[in-house]
Amino acid sequence: MKALLLKEKEDMFIQETEKPVIQPEEVLIEVKYCGICGTDVHIFHGEPGSAEVTPPIVLGHKFSGEVVEIGASVSGLKLGDHVAVDPNIYCGKCTYCRQGRVQLCEDLSAVGVTRNGGMEQFCAVPETACHLLDKELPLEVGALAEPLSCVLHGFHQISEIQARTKVLIIGGGFIGSLFLQTVQLKNPAKVDVCEIDVNKHAQLSELGADHLFQSTDDVAAEYDLVIECIGKKQTIEAGIHKTGKGGEVLLFGVPSPETLVEFPAFDVFSKELKMAGSFINPFTVEEAVSLLNQQKVQVTPLISHTLRLEEVPAVLENYGDYGITKAIVKL
């Protein structure tokens, strides 16, 4: 079979390898589609993912496919099932796991991060990582359940959105567009989006944005909730600045480990601001799959690039040059 191997930092190539041999609690998935995201870009350039990465490794932590082999201990899946994969595997033993805060697991492992992932034709994964997709749901849609589940976990970090809540989303790319749709499901007073690329504005408007801005400098209002989806110093600082009294800031964008931000501590004090982070997707993949199966969240219009496996290294090396909203690999 073909597998795209990251041998070391910025050194990735296709190799022929044997199909994985599954363990009793695992299934073998014939991968159909695998999404690419900023985490893959970080890993390609030598930065950490959700856990520490040790090449050689096959990347790809958001993918879908068909079950083609079943381990002896597997009871909840059958051959031919279409599944989306939750990549994160928790130890269940550490303090955080026993508190139910598994996303903070001290021995976290992940498909496509610490073990081979979806950028190969066949991938072995634990049965517990698989979530059934409706057979009618396109598999390219199912491959994107993982990022939607991360967005849903973000909502667990903030207060319940009310009818009076005014929301600002900074960054109208793929994640910002998912937040836009899921926020609208809660019927807030308004949802505005700040997105530098005006070519994305028409689509954001179709997805339900009330007002669109190209720069945070153009945003005058103060919001009850600001969701930052970029992870850059200037956008994080702007998000804090645009949050009104008693408001909340969700820092969702993935920053570089070296990113430092500056903001007036007095603003946090005097406005009683709350700031929250959101890491991976504990217990939310099932909800994400349900929303996709019910077509309550649209991801197909957000897929801007469909790639072949051999095109991936060049894309990861120069990701910012491609104008990608969401890229998926068709295997």
Side-chain angles (χ1 to χ4, degrees), residues 309-331:
L309 203 59
E310 54 267 31
E311 295 177 291
V312 172
V315 170
L316 293 180
E317 186 171 4
N318 302 287
Y319 191 77
D321 297 339
Y322 284 83
I324 291 171
T325 300
K326 175 52 66 179
I328 59 170
V329 183
K330 183 177 182 181
L331 285 97

Side-chain angles (χ1 to χ4, degrees), residues 19-209:
K19 283 185 184 179
V21 176
I22 61 172
Q23 299 300 310
E25 71 282 359
E26 293 180 335
V27 298
L28 187 67
I29 295 175
E30 183 177 2
V31 181
K32 300 299 185 181
Y33 290 92
C34 180
I36 294 176
C37 78
T39 298
D40 297 308
V41 178
H42 286 300
I43 294 172
F44 179 83
H45 290 291
E47 297 175 357
S50 57
E52 195 63 38
V53 181
T54 305
I57 193 77
V58 175
L59 301 186
H61 60 277
K62 47 173 67 63
F63 61 97
S64 64
E66 182 178 337
V67 176
V68 295
E69 189 176 334
I70 293 176
S73 301
V74 172
S75 60
L77 294 170
K78 63 183 185 298
L79 296 177
D81 279 344
H82 289 183
V83 295
V85 173
D86 177 359
N88 298 300
I89 303 168
Y90 313 106
C91 76
K93 301 175 182 179
C94 71
T95 298
Y96 297 108
C97 282
R98 286 186 285 178
Q99 291 174 347
R101 303 167 71 192
V102 294
Q103 70 274 22
L104 304 179
C105 175
E106 293 179 330
D107 193 23
L108 178 70
S109 60
V111 179
V113 180
T114 63
R115 55 183 282 171
N116 286 347
M119 292 189 193
E120 58 184 0
Q121 290 178 292
F122 296 90
C123 184
V125 300
E127 176 189 14
T128 53
C130 297
H131 294 262
L132 277 173
L133 300 169
D134 286 352
K135 283 290 183 73
E136 296 76 22
L137 188 75
L139 281 164
E140 60 266 37
V141 174
L144 300 176
E146 187 271 347
L148 178 57
S149 70
C150 293
V151 164
L152 294 173
H153 175 59
F155 285 108
H156 295 176
Q157 312 311 308
I158 58 177
S159 301
E160 186 72 24
I161 292 174
Q162 308 291 330
R164 59 171 177 76
T165 307
K166 296 179 293 182
V167 182
L168 174 66
I169 298 170
I170 300 178
F174 180 69
I175 291 295
S177 296
L178 292 183
F179 266 113
L180 172 59
Q181 294 181 72
T182 48
V183 167
Q184 289 287 26
L185 292 175
K186 299 177 183 295
N187 298 310
K190 69 173 180 177
V191 187
D192 297 343
V193 180
C194 184
E195 167 54 47
I196 192 171
D197 185 355
V198 294
N199 294 318
K200 296 178 180 179
H201 283 198
Q203 185 176 74
L204 290 164
S205 181
E206 291 174 5
L207 291 174

Side-chain angles (χ1 to χ4, degrees), residues 270-288:
S270 62
K271 294 195 288 186
E272 287 198 349
L273 300 186
K274 295 180 181 178
M275 287 185 282
S278 181
F279 184 61
I280 61 176
N281 62 339
F283 312 123
T284 50
V285 177
E286 185 174 354
E287 183 183 357

